[in-house]
Amino acid sequence: MQTKIVKILYTAKDYVSGQEISNRLGVSRQAVNKAVKVLRDKGFVISSVTNKGYLLESFPEQLCEEAVKCLLDTKLIGSKIIVLDSVTSTNDYLKKLAAKGAQAGTVVVSREQTAGKGRLGRIWQTKKDDGIALSILLRPQLSPNEIGGITPLAGLAVCRAINDFCKLDSRIKWPNDIIVGKKKIVGILTEMSTDFDRVEYIIPGIGINVGHTTFPDNIAYKATSILLETGRHIDKNKFLATVLNYLDDAMLQNNYTLGGQSAEDYQKLCASIGRQVSFCRGDRKISGMAVSVNDSGELEVMLSNGTVATVNSGEVTVQGIY
Ligand code: BTN
């Protein structure tokens, strides 16, 4: 009911009487008053004037389920949104829910992670309110060898959301970093559970640097945030809704696979392509020119002997970036 009230007030953009809300929702005036009080406690600024009703003045500063839901235009992603104050890792939290049968589209977002995970066993720090840590539960009807497009599609969606909402020119550093200039602003860690030839679930976990002004010494040279790049504090709820809207579009319109237009779009936004890159094969370091990303999401690298190597995981250093 609270989400419905926020939606009514948000779309009205003017005062709406308590009576009208109670008629539209089929609940008592008292129930409306009570729900408005809960919303105010959550940080919504809702003014009320006798004989006019309620007016939504602003959303909470903190992440809030009702605020995000009110702005969602998705078919699947965000069907359920769980907002946490603090958690070890949103991926780990959602994996537990997934194992218990949580519905596809469930999103877990947290203001803080105490044991956030990065790729290749690294740590991903999310200090309170500096970043947004979110994980999305997907259950595509695909076999394990068909899911290579999911992380690139997630990267594409988040990159678009940042560019649209923050008016930045972010790009993708293959496979799943989003960068602004030469610095990382988003990291993605996708985890999954498979059962022989069936994917049980896939969880792309996305860490977005929002309000950081400093970073730990070991990453300071290659990390940035929305605040540092734009000089502005963004409305986190509106931004998160934008990210989820783009993710829903990217996953559903492309049936979770990279190909055709989405592959072209990914390549256009991929900063690694057309640059010298290095990666490791066993204990050999190999260098070459990144030429494309194939429909399985693998990076194709032209080596000096004219052969093309495909890279599907691990660390790739891009000359001039990191
Ligand atoms: C990387 O660049 O190494 C990937 C970082 C992924 C971080 C996100 S934050 C939300 C989700 N939960 C985690 O524990 N990790 C991912």
Side-chain angles (χ1 to χ4, degrees):
M1 164 151 85
Q2 284 150 28
T3 304
K4 287 184 181 154
I5 294 180
V6 174
K7 254 191 188 158
I8 290 175
L9 295 178
Y10 181 73
T11 42
K13 295 188 168 64
D14 198 356
Y15 285 91
V16 185
S17 72
Q19 190 59 53
E20 183 181 337
I21 299 174
S22 88
N23 291 346
R24 280 169 68 179
L25 300 182
V27 297
S28 69
R29 285 287 302 273
Q30 251 179 342
V32 173
N33 291 347
K34 218 168 138 191
V36 167
K37 185 177 176 321
V38 174
L39 289 169
R40 283 180 175 143
D41 290 345
K42 287 188 175 182
F44 287 90
V45 179
I46 300 172
S47 55
S48 54
V49 172
T50 324
N51 295 330
K52 279 173 103 177
Y54 298 109
L55 178 74
L56 176 61
E57 308 266 6
S58 64
F59 279 3
E61 257 177 49
Q62 309 304 349
L63 288 168
C64 163
E65 179 197 334
E66 289 80 4
V68 177
K69 276 211 150 160
C70 151
L71 301 164
L72 276 191
D73 181 20
T74 60
K75 294 189 178 65
L76 176 77
I77 293 179
S79 51
K80 185 171 169 58
I81 298 182
I82 300 167
V83 179
L84 304 170
D85 251 359
S86 180
V87 71
T88 50
S89 150
T90 53
N91 269 26
D92 287 349
Y93 187 94
L94 191 51
K95 277 198 278 182
K96 284 188 193 135
L97 295 185
K100 287 190 210 147
Q103 70 199 55
T106 301
V107 171
V108 173
V109 56
S110 184
R111 293 171 57 197
E112 175 188 62
Q113 290 189 123
T114 53
K117 301 181 301 182
R119 288 179 67 232
L120 310 170
R122 294 181 185 134
I123 292 168
W124 182 270
Q125 273 201 354
T126 312
K127 285 206 202 135
K128 212 155 226 158
D129 297 326
D130 264 1
I132 296 180
L134 76 144
S135 301
I136 304 113
L137 176 59
L138 303 174
R139 296 187 186 275
Q141 302 287 307
L142 298 174
S143 66
N145 57 12
E146 292 172 316
I147 46 102
I150 288 187
T151 305
L153 285 174
L156 183 60
V158 180
C159 189
R160 284 174 166 158
I162 289 181
N163 293 350
D164 180 3
F165 193 86
C166 309
K167 306 291 172 246
L168 284 171
D169 182 21
S170 74
R171 314 277 304 275
I172 304 160
K173 177 179 176 281
W174 187 92
N176 40 14
D177 288 356
I178 295 177
I179 56 171
V180 175
K182 296 176 179 179
K183 293 183 168 184
K184 177 162 167 173
I185 200 159
V186 173
I188 303 178
L189 171 70
T190 301
E191 298 188 90
M192 73 187 88
S193 165
T194 57
D195 178 11
F196 295 106
D197 57 350
R198 203 180 62 87
V199 172
E200 200 196 334
Y201 64 77
I202 302 194
I203 297 180
I206 302 168
I208 308 174
N209 298 338
V210 177
H212 301 62
T213 47
T214 56
F215 289 93
D217 286 350
N218 59 326
I219 56 165
Y221 73 99
K222 60 169 183 177
T224 190
S225 70
I226 292 175
L227 176 59
L228 287 173
E229 293 301 322
T230 62
R232 288 190 308 270
H233 289 277
I234 55 164
D235 181 322
K236 290 198 191 102
N237 289 304
K238 290 186 179 165
F239 174 62
L240 178 59
T242 307
V243 169
L244 299 181
N245 286 337
Y246 272 101
L247 279 167
D248 193 73
D249 230 44
M251 296 300 163
L252 299 190
Q253 283 194 5
N254 299 293
N255 192 25
Y256 305 94
T257 48
L258 196 65
Q261 190 60 48
S262 64
E264 262 180 49
D265 294 347
Y266 182 91
Q267 307 240 31
K268 277 191 207 141
L269 282 173
C270 182
S272 313
I273 291 174
R275 290 188 190 249
Q276 280 295 123
V277 298
S278 321
F279 57 96
C280 287
R281 281 270 153 92
D283 39 15
R284 263 187 334 131
K285 184 174 169 190
I286 301 179
S287 299
M289 171 73 75
V291 285
S292 64
V293 172
N294 64 25
D295 291 357
S296 305
E298 297 163 329
L299 187 68
E300 298 186 328
V301 181
M302 173 79 76
L303 306 182
S304 53
N305 64 6
T307 60
V308 174
T310 50
V311 190
N312 58 20
S313 63
E315 187 78 336
V316 171
T317 309
V318 181
Q319 204 177 62
I321 304 183
Y322 59 83

